[in-house]
Structure formats: C-alpha cells, structure tokens
Amino acid sequence: MLPSTLDWNTKEKTLKCFDQRSIPFKNTEVVCVTYKDVAEAIENMTVRGAPAIGSAAAYGVVLAAYRDIDDIESAISALSNSRPTAVNLSWALKRMKVIIEKFGKDNINLPNILEKEAIKIQNLDVLINKTLSEYGQKILPNKATVITHCNAGAIATCGYGTALGILRAARENSKEIKLYADETRPRLQGGKITAYEMHEDMFDVTVITDSMAAYLMSKKKIDAVITGADRVAMNGDTANKIGTYSLAVVAKHHGVPFYIAAPRSTFDINCIDGNEIPIEERDGDEIRVIANQRIIPKEIKVWNPSFDVTPNSLITGIITEYGILKAPYSKVIPKIFELPSLDKIIKE
C-alpha cells in the first residue's frame, strides 16, 4: 500500500511528509511543526511534485498561523521562494492570501479558517486527479504501452496522480497497461519513485535510462508518452523535469503521441510562453555524486537545470480536469479559466 504524501494532524497541528528521498529501500517520514520545516522539506525535495508542493505550502501557512500569526507574511515569502518552477506553489499560496485578506490577521478564527482551506486544497487535488485521469484514459487502447518521465503519480500529488493516475484509470476501465519509466537523471525520480509506485500497485513496469527512449520507440509499438508538468504557459509551452523536451522530440520523430497531464492550477495565466518560465538550477553535485560516490571531480564544472521547456508544437494534447486541450493552445487554454472550479463538489 502506498504511503500518504501529506498527513495533516488536526489535533497536534503538525504536517507529516512522506520522505520521497528514501524510496525505494525504506519508507520514512518527516514531521513539520513550523513553516520553516515545510519550506526546508520542499527545498530539499522531501516533498516533490508540483501538486504536492502546493498543498504542503498551504499547510506551511497554517502552521505559521497557529504558531505565531505575526509570522504569516514571512511564511508566505519563504514558502513562495522554496522552489521557483512549480506554479502550483504560488496558486496554493494565493488561495491562502485571499483568506487572510478576507478575514484579517486579527480574526481569532483565522488559523482554523486557513486550516480548512488547506484541507480543501488537498482534497481538491485528489478529485482533480481522478477527473483528469478519466479523461486521459480514453486516449489509450485496450492494450497500451506507455512511456513516462520523472514521477507524476500518487506520491507527487495528494493522491492518485496525474500522468500515472491516467494509467490507474485505464486499468479501472479494464485496460491492460505496460509502462516504461525513464529513470530521469540526475535524481532518478523515475527509476526510484515511479517504478516503486507502479510496482507496488502491481503494474507491468520496466525502467529504462533516459537515452534509451528513442531506440525503444524504434523497436516497439508505443501508444503514447504521458508526463506531468510543473508549469504550463498560456501558449501551451510546458516546463517539466529535465529530459522531457528530449522525449518529446524523439516521440515526434517516431510518430508517438505526446501528452501532458496537468490540472488547471499548473497553468500560469501570467506567462505568455515558455521563455518566461523560470528554470531552477540545482547543485552540481546532484550530477557529480551518485549514491554518495563522487564520479566527477568537484573542480569540473556542471550545468544542472532541474527542468526544461517542451514547445507546444511537440505536444499532442494537454489533459486537464476540464478535458483534453488541443492546439491552438493560445485560444483554448484561456477558456478553462472561465469555467468554475471543482471546489463546489467537495463538502465543507
């Protein structure tokens, strides 16, 4: 059974985060009691995956409200800077700021109101994932072979998943699924997390290195490539884990449909195209060091962007909770912002 990504303790007012760095050999948890703990958990990738990051940040604001209401602005600032690329982070924090502005810091019930909002955000993510996945599974034949990159599953979200959620929904619709998971250098989220998650759920999963995908497509029938996203621009350009762009290029060459699975919260209404998406660059030792063994000397320079941007021309469709968006994306994406949120389905 897969562990919960985030577990909020309503009695103790603490957030238990499943430590994704420990997968696949052990399952450990980190307990956050302050917003600084949450910011650190996001920065060091204890919590990763755009929807999970957003939900965790919302709970970070709640922790600040309960511990010291005067810290709430500092909390929002620290959390918003914890990772720059995933737009779900700012989406969740914006929802929390709306609550603060509506009720005011002096309202004695504000911590409780914020807590309810954070719980709602977490529950909403699961609902969105299941709705999105039901749309997405329709692209797959009854017997399908899929490639994915990084991890966009239950562990990267608040449950069920986006890209991997589509595979779950397909199986629930009696479809037979075979998955090839890119290992996803340098942090190996595909090899470690996606393979673990799918194996635990008894899927037929095979790990490949990132450089094997093109050759695999030349040798086997691949029905689709499906990945998650950390930010989608209004023209459909999409930021996701480094290596996604390469996968989209080879998919195009081999005539394999390439899909992005992303909730509306991953779309950045203020971002015109991919050139405006901030790309996080991480410590070079993520590449120089493997399993605590240095393979590249410290003095040799390393470039380590954590994400890349896939141009909209390579994307067959973007699977959302409102259906599957197709080009021209600059015309169809704004329309989903005119639709009501799925919030109303969730009971208070």
Side-chain angles (χ1 to χ4, degrees), residues 14 89 95 168 178 184 200 251 279 281 306 320 337-338:
T14 58
L89 182 65
R95 286 180 63 128
R168 290 188 169 94
K178 180 176 178 61
T184 318
E200 286 292 298
I279 299 298
E281 291 191 27
S306 192
T320 77
F337 286 90
E338 299 171 3

Side-chain angles (χ1 to χ4, degrees), residues 132-181:
L132 173 160
S133 296
E134 185 57 35
Y135 283 117
Q137 66 86 21
K138 294 176 183 178
I139 70 171
L140 299 175
N142 288 332
K143 191 172 182 179
T145 302
V146 176
I147 298 176
T148 193
H149 190 74
C150 197
N151 176 259
I155 294 173
T157 63
C158 297
Y160 204 77
T162 53
L164 300 190
I166 290 168
L167 306 186
R168 290 188 169 94
R171 188 166 69 175
E172 289 166 9
N173 281 272
S174 302
K175 295 181 180 180
E176 184 180 331
I177 302 297
K178 180 176 178 61
L179 176 66
Y180 285 94

Side-chain angles (χ1 to χ4, degrees), residues 204-276:
D204 181 354
V205 58
T206 300
V207 176
I208 59 172
T209 66
D210 301 358
S211 57
M212 293 175 183
Y215 189 59
L216 175 65
M217 290 182 199
S218 75
K219 293 297 181 183
K220 294 185 180 290
K221 183 181 186 302
I222 304 299
D223 295 288
V225 175
I226 309 175
T227 77
D230 286 81
R231 188 180 301 232
V232 182
M234 295 303 284
N235 74 333
D237 293 348
T238 298
N240 193 51
K241 187 57 57 184
I242 190 75
T244 304
Y245 181 15
S246 304
L247 190 58
V249 169
V250 297
K252 185 80 167 182
H253 177 78
H254 290 285
V256 176
F258 181 91
Y259 288 92
I260 296 293
R264 183 172 67 177
S265 59
T266 304
F267 290 76
D268 187 349
I269 198 168
N270 297 311
C271 183
I272 297 173
D273 58 37
N275 292 320
E276 296 184 358

Side-chain angles (χ1 to χ4, degrees), residues 323-338:
I324 302 175
L325 310 183
K326 297 289 185 77
Y329 295 110
S330 58
K331 291 185 178 180
V332 299
I333 289 175
K335 292 181 180 178
I336 67 172
F337 286 90
E338 299 171 3

Side-chain angles (χ1 to χ4, degrees), residues 63-166:
L63 289 173
Y66 273 118
R67 300 295 185 267
D68 187 346
I69 197 69
D70 290 331
D71 281 345
I72 207 157
E73 283 88 2
S74 297
I76 291 172
S77 176
L79 291 161
S80 65
N81 291 318
S82 55
R83 294 201 72 188
T85 302
V87 75
N88 304 66
L89 182 65
S90 58
W91 169 82
L93 291 174
K94 183 178 180 180
R95 286 180 63 128
M96 302 304 276
K97 285 192 282 188
V98 167
I99 296 292
I100 295 166
E101 291 167 2
K102 180 179 179 180
F103 292 95
K105 279 175 53 179
D106 296 331
N107 189 313
I108 194 171
N109 293 318
L110 182 61
N112 182 253
I113 297 168
L114 288 169
E115 180 181 2
K116 287 182 178 179
E117 182 69 7
I119 293 170
K120 191 173 185 180
I121 288 171
Q122 185 177 14
N123 292 336
L124 176 61
D125 182 59
V126 178
L127 174 65
I128 286 171
N129 293 344
K130 290 184 176 181
T131 305
L132 173 160
S133 296
E134 185 57 35
Y135 283 117
Q137 66 86 21
K138 294 176 183 178
I139 70 171
L140 299 175
N142 288 332
K143 191 172 182 179
T145 302
V146 176
I147 298 176
T148 193
H149 190 74
C150 197
N151 176 259
I155 294 173
T157 63
C158 297
Y160 204 77
T162 53
L164 300 190
I166 290 168

